[in-house]
Amino acid sequence: MERTDSYLIPKYLKIKNTLLQKLRDGEFEPGEKFYSESELVNMYNVSSITVIRALKELVSEGYLFSIQGKGRFVSKGKLGQTVHFTDVEKYPDQETSVEVISITESTNPEIRKILHAAENEIVYCIERVRKSNNIPFFLQYSYLSARYIHSDEINDPERFISIYDKLRKDYNFHMTTAPSVEYYRICFPTPDRVAQLLEIDTQEPTSFVERTTFLEDESPIEFIQSYKRWDYYCSKIDSL
């Protein structure tokens, strides 16, 4: 009997391939709403993180597209066409710097839920601003469990200028290649504190992103909320 190694294929990839076949077989029309995350969780009896990862790959490869608050839909373009999304730096040649504004404890129940924080577990919020030629253009709030932050580091903000470098050195976590889920939208009006730190008026819009990053065991490690000034924001979509 021919040996099969199908059991070695990750669950998310098996689900992705099954869904891809449904798309190729014409079970969904272009523009039609696709399965919801909860429907797929019930269909395949897997975790929501597994389903999200499968859907994320179908979106990144151009088979599906997302609409914030409405779900995922079948792409109207050519099925199988790979696209690449890039957040373009509009002023790449200018000198940039990062400043850690604050490190505080977060009691936000929604964020604690996203990070699967235990009842007595501390979640820290690291507030950082990136500047270009001394002009603030990017504000980020990074939420991490205290299990990844030593208590003696809280009063040393310089350690958190690059959180990903810190996690790589301390725990060998490679966050830039870890699975993640991102949601984009335009924020208007801009919250008061955000406008103050970005040195803009609240009536100016900002590009708002929420991202959750996961470890290999599919547990969430980081949740971020970031704001970028509208005049520094540009996205590019390439078909490959």
Side-chain angles (χ1 to χ4, degrees):
M1 179 179 292
E2 184 178 350
R3 182 177 181 271
T4 177
D5 292 326
S6 62
Y7 65 93
L8 297 176
I9 301 175
K11 287 187 291 184
Y12 85 90
L13 191 54
K14 291 181 181 179
I15 294 172
K16 172 198 169 185
N17 290 338
T18 300
L19 296 176
L20 182 56
Q21 192 59 52
K22 289 179 180 289
L23 290 169
R24 287 173 171 166
D25 289 344
E27 294 190 23
F28 290 85
E29 294 294 326
E32 184 178 353
K33 187 173 183 180
F34 199 59
Y35 295 119
S36 68
E37 293 170 14
S38 59
E39 286 175 327
L40 291 173
V41 166
N42 292 329
M43 285 172 59
Y44 296 105
N45 193 28
V46 294
S47 71
S48 59
I49 303 307
T50 299
V51 164
I52 288 172
R53 190 170 181 184
L55 290 172
K56 181 182 177 182
E57 290 206 358
L58 290 173
V59 170
S60 67
E61 293 175 11
Y63 295 100
L64 303 175
F65 64 94
S66 298
I67 298 180
Q68 179 72 22
K70 294 185 178 181
R72 295 171 181 83
F73 298 79
V74 179
S75 294
K76 297 179 181 180
K78 180 180 177 182
L79 285 178
Q81 184 179 33
T82 301
V83 296
H84 183 248
F85 292 81
T86 307
D87 189 6
V88 180
E89 293 292 346
K90 296 188 69 174
Y91 307 99
D93 297 328
Q94 296 186 5
E95 182 179 350
T96 62
S97 61
V98 176
E99 179 184 355
V100 179
I101 304 297
S102 66
I103 303 175
T104 57
E105 292 185 20
S106 173
T107 58
N108 186 310
E110 292 300 318
I111 292 175
R112 295 181 60 82
K113 182 178 179 181
I114 291 172
L115 292 175
H116 297 178
E119 183 177 353
N120 296 321
E121 186 175 359
I122 296 175
V123 172
Y124 286 108
C125 172
I126 304 166
E127 183 183 45
R128 297 175 300 165
V129 66
R130 183 178 295 274
K131 298 180 179 181
S132 177
N133 277 11
N134 213 32
I135 299 174
F137 71 96
F138 185 73
L139 176 65
Q140 186 172 84
Y141 297 92
S142 298
Y143 298 88
L144 286 168
S145 165
R147 75 186 84 155
Y148 303 116
I149 298 177
H150 304 299
S151 59
D152 60 347
E153 298 176 326
I154 299 302
N155 295 322
D156 188 3
E158 293 295 315
R159 290 175 177 262
F160 299 91
I161 287 179
S162 176
I163 295 175
Y164 283 8
D165 280 351
K166 183 180 186 305
L167 290 174
R168 178 177 54 81
K169 292 175 182 177
D170 292 352
Y171 300 98
N172 199 31
F173 293 155
H174 296 272
M175 302 289 284
T176 55
T177 57
S180 63
V181 178
E182 296 186 18
Y183 293 95
Y184 291 76
R185 66 179 174 87
I186 299 300
C187 182
F188 180 82
T190 295
D192 289 343
R193 179 167 176 80
V194 174
Q196 178 185 0
L197 291 174
L198 291 180
E199 297 179 3
I200 60 175
D201 191 273
T202 57
Q203 295 305 302
E204 294 182 69
T206 45
S207 169
F208 178 68
V209 178
E210 290 186 316
R211 181 175 75 236
T212 307
T213 304
F214 304 90
L215 297 176
E216 291 184 358
D217 63 1
E218 299 183 351
S219 60
I221 178 174
E222 179 200 39
F223 176 69
I224 71 154
Q225 294 176 315
S226 61
Y227 300 83
K228 182 175 281 191
R229 284 174 51 148
W230 67 271
D231 51 343
Y232 278 74
Y233 175 76
C234 180
S235 282
K236 182 177 71 171
I237 302 176
D238 295 310
S239 58
L240 304 177

